[in-house]
PDB file of all heavy atoms in Angstrom:
ATOM      1  N   SER J 336    -129.407 -56.572  33.252  1.00 76.00           N
ATOM      2  CA  SER J 336    -128.883 -57.700  34.026  1.00 76.00           C
ATOM      3  C   SER J 336    -127.370 -57.684  33.891  1.00 76.00           C
ATOM      4  O   SER J 336    -126.850 -57.642  32.766  1.00 76.00           O
ATOM      5  CB  SER J 336    -129.442 -59.022  33.503  1.00 76.00           C
ATOM      6  OG  SER J 336    -128.850 -60.112  34.183  1.00 76.00           O
ATOM      7  N   ASP J 337    -126.672 -57.657  35.022  1.00 79.00           N
ATOM      8  CA  ASP J 337    -125.208 -57.590  35.031  1.00 79.00           C
ATOM      9  C   ASP J 337    -124.700 -56.391  34.257  1.00 79.00           C
ATOM     10  O   ASP J 337    -123.683 -56.440  33.537  1.00 79.00           O
ATOM     11  CB  ASP J 337    -124.593 -58.875  34.473  1.00 79.00           C
ATOM     12  CG  ASP J 337    -124.893 -60.078  35.338  1.00 79.00           C
ATOM     13  OD1 ASP J 337    -125.018 -59.902  36.566  1.00 79.00           O
ATOM     14  OD2 ASP J 337    -125.042 -61.168  34.795  1.00 79.00           O
ATOM     15  N   GLY J 338    -125.487 -55.280  34.345  1.00 80.00           N
ATOM     16  CA  GLY J 338    -125.070 -54.029  33.690  1.00 80.00           C
ATOM     17  C   GLY J 338    -125.401 -53.983  32.205  1.00 80.00           C
ATOM     18  O   GLY J 338    -125.087 -52.966  31.558  1.00 80.00           O
ATOM     19  N   ARG J 339    -126.022 -55.004  31.649  1.00 83.00           N
ATOM     20  CA  ARG J 339    -126.329 -55.027  30.223  1.00 83.00           C
ATOM     21  C   ARG J 339    -127.836 -54.936  30.027  1.00 83.00           C
ATOM     22  O   ARG J 339    -128.609 -55.673  30.673  1.00 83.00           O
ATOM     23  CB  ARG J 339    -125.791 -56.291  29.584  1.00 83.00           C
ATOM     24  CG  ARG J 339    -124.281 -56.378  29.492  1.00 83.00           C
ATOM     25  CD  ARG J 339    -123.851 -57.631  28.814  1.00 83.00           C
ATOM     26  NE  ARG J 339    -124.190 -58.818  29.601  1.00 83.00           N
ATOM     27  CZ  ARG J 339    -124.002 -60.087  29.165  1.00 83.00           C
ATOM     28  NH1 ARG J 339    -123.552 -60.303  27.950  1.00 83.00           N
ATOM     29  NH2 ARG J 339    -124.345 -61.098  29.948  1.00 83.00           N
ATOM     30  N   PRO J 340    -128.336 -54.044  29.149  1.00 81.00           N
ATOM     31  CA  PRO J 340    -129.746 -53.953  28.886  1.00 81.00           C
ATOM     32  C   PRO J 340    -130.295 -55.253  28.323  1.00 81.00           C
ATOM     33  O   PRO J 340    -129.740 -55.845  27.404  1.00 81.00           O
ATOM     34  CB  PRO J 340    -129.843 -52.817  27.856  1.00 81.00           C
ATOM     35  CG  PRO J 340    -128.582 -52.037  28.024  1.00 81.00           C
ATOM     36  CD  PRO J 340    -127.534 -53.067  28.403  1.00 81.00           C
ATOM     37  N   ARG J 341    -131.378 -55.717  28.888  1.00 76.00           N
ATOM     38  CA  ARG J 341    -132.027 -56.942  28.448  1.00 76.00           C
ATOM     39  C   ARG J 341    -133.370 -56.684  27.743  1.00 76.00           C
ATOM     40  O   ARG J 341    -133.766 -57.472  26.879  1.00 76.00           O
ATOM     41  CB  ARG J 341    -132.262 -57.873  29.647  1.00 76.00           C
ATOM     42  CG  ARG J 341    -130.988 -58.272  30.364  1.00 76.00           C
ATOM     43  CD  ARG J 341    -130.088 -59.159  29.527  1.00 76.00           C
ATOM     44  NE  ARG J 341    -128.966 -59.642  30.293  1.00 76.00           N
ATOM     45  CZ  ARG J 341    -128.008 -60.431  29.804  1.00 76.00           C
ATOM     46  NH1 ARG J 341    -128.085 -60.831  28.546  1.00 76.00           N
ATOM     47  NH2 ARG J 341    -126.996 -60.837  30.552  1.00 76.00           N
ATOM     48  N   ALA J 342    -134.065 -55.663  28.130  1.00 74.00           N
ATOM     49  CA  ALA J 342    -135.390 -55.393  27.548  1.00 74.00           C
ATOM     50  C   ALA J 342    -135.756 -53.927  27.784  1.00 74.00           C
ATOM     51  O   ALA J 342    -135.304 -53.331  28.769  1.00 74.00           O
ATOM     52  CB  ALA J 342    -136.477 -56.310  28.162  1.00 74.00           C
ATOM     53  N   ARG J 343    -136.547 -53.400  26.889  1.00 75.00           N
ATOM     54  CA  ARG J 343    -137.105 -52.039  27.026  1.00 75.00           C
ATOM     55  C   ARG J 343    -138.610 -52.113  26.906  1.00 75.00           C
ATOM     56  O   ARG J 343    -139.157 -52.892  26.131  1.00 75.00           O
ATOM     57  CB  ARG J 343    -136.507 -51.128  25.990  1.00 75.00           C
ATOM     58  CG  ARG J 343    -135.074 -50.719  26.247  1.00 75.00           C
ATOM     59  CD  ARG J 343    -134.541 -49.717  25.229  1.00 75.00           C
ATOM     60  NE  ARG J 343    -133.244 -49.187  25.629  1.00 75.00           N
ATOM     61  CZ  ARG J 343    -132.110 -49.802  25.360  1.00 75.00           C
ATOM     62  NH1 ARG J 343    -132.110 -50.945  24.703  1.00 75.00           N
ATOM     63  NH2 ARG J 343    -130.945 -49.239  25.744  1.00 75.00           N
ATOM     64  N   GLU J 344    -139.293 -51.300  27.712  1.00 71.00           N
ATOM     65  CA  GLU J 344    -140.748 -51.300  27.722  1.00 71.00           C
ATOM     66  C   GLU J 344    -141.271 -49.925  28.025  1.00 71.00           C
ATOM     67  O   GLU J 344    -140.577 -49.144  28.662  1.00 71.00           O
ATOM     68  CB  GLU J 344    -141.228 -52.291  28.826  1.00 71.00           C
ATOM     69  CG  GLU J 344    -142.722 -52.437  28.956  1.00 71.00           C
ATOM     70  CD  GLU J 344    -143.371 -53.084  27.749  1.00 71.00           C
ATOM     71  OE1 GLU J 344    -143.424 -54.337  27.679  1.00 71.00           O
ATOM     72  OE2 GLU J 344    -143.766 -52.353  26.846  1.00 71.00           O
ATOM     73  N   ARG J 345    -142.442 -49.646  27.510  1.00 69.00           N
ATOM     74  CA  ARG J 345    -143.123 -48.384  27.842  1.00 69.00           C
ATOM     75  C   ARG J 345    -144.212 -48.694  28.866  1.00 69.00           C
ATOM     76  O   ARG J 345    -145.060 -49.546  28.680  1.00 69.00           O
ATOM     77  CB  ARG J 345    -143.716 -47.764  26.617  1.00 69.00           C
ATOM     78  CG  ARG J 345    -142.702 -47.148  25.662  1.00 69.00           C
ATOM     79  CD  ARG J 345    -143.281 -46.207  24.647  1.00 69.00           C
ATOM     80  NE  ARG J 345    -142.262 -45.606  23.825  1.00 69.00           N
ATOM     81  CZ  ARG J 345    -141.567 -44.530  24.187  1.00 69.00           C
ATOM     82  NH1 ARG J 345    -141.801 -43.914  25.333  1.00 69.00           N
ATOM     83  NH2 ARG J 345    -140.648 -44.010  23.383  1.00 69.00           N
ATOM     84  N   LEU J 346    -144.139 -47.962  30.003  1.00 65.00           N
ATOM     85  CA  LEU J 346    -145.072 -48.211  31.067  1.00 65.00           C
ATOM     86  C   LEU J 346    -146.453 -47.707  30.663  1.00 65.00           C
ATOM     87  O   LEU J 346    -146.576 -46.724  29.948  1.00 65.00           O
ATOM     88  CB  LEU J 346    -144.599 -47.546  32.351  1.00 65.00           C
ATOM     89  CG  LEU J 346    -143.343 -48.130  32.936  1.00 65.00           C
ATOM     90  CD1 LEU J 346    -142.871 -47.315  34.124  1.00 65.00           C
ATOM     91  CD2 LEU J 346    -143.522 -49.561  33.358  1.00 65.00           C
ATOM     92  N   PRO J 347    -147.509 -48.353  31.157  1.00 61.00           N
ATOM     93  CA  PRO J 347    -148.879 -47.993  30.788  1.00 61.00           C
ATOM     94  C   PRO J 347    -149.323 -46.726  31.495  1.00 61.00           C
ATOM     95  O   PRO J 347    -148.747 -46.316  32.488  1.00 61.00           O
ATOM     96  CB  PRO J 347    -149.701 -49.202  31.237  1.00 61.00           C
ATOM     97  CG  PRO J 347    -148.954 -49.711  32.424  1.00 61.00           C
ATOM     98  CD  PRO J 347    -147.480 -49.520  32.058  1.00 61.00           C
ATOM     99  N   PRO J 348    -150.441 -46.111  30.988  1.00 57.00           N
ATOM    100  CA  PRO J 348    -150.990 -44.938  31.668  1.00 57.00           C
ATOM    101  C   PRO J 348    -151.630 -45.314  32.982  1.00 57.00           C
ATOM    102  O   PRO J 348    -151.920 -46.474  33.226  1.00 57.00           O
ATOM    103  CB  PRO J 348    -152.016 -44.394  30.669  1.00 57.00           C
ATOM    104  CG  PRO J 348    -152.424 -45.629  29.928  1.00 57.00           C
ATOM    105  CD  PRO J 348    -151.177 -46.444  29.786  1.00 57.00           C
TER     106      PRO J 348
END
Side-chain angles (χ1 to χ4, degrees):
S336 175
D337 295 329
R339 291 181 294 173
R341 300 293 186 179
R343 287 184 171 84
E344 182 65 87
R345 287 194 178 277
L346 294 174

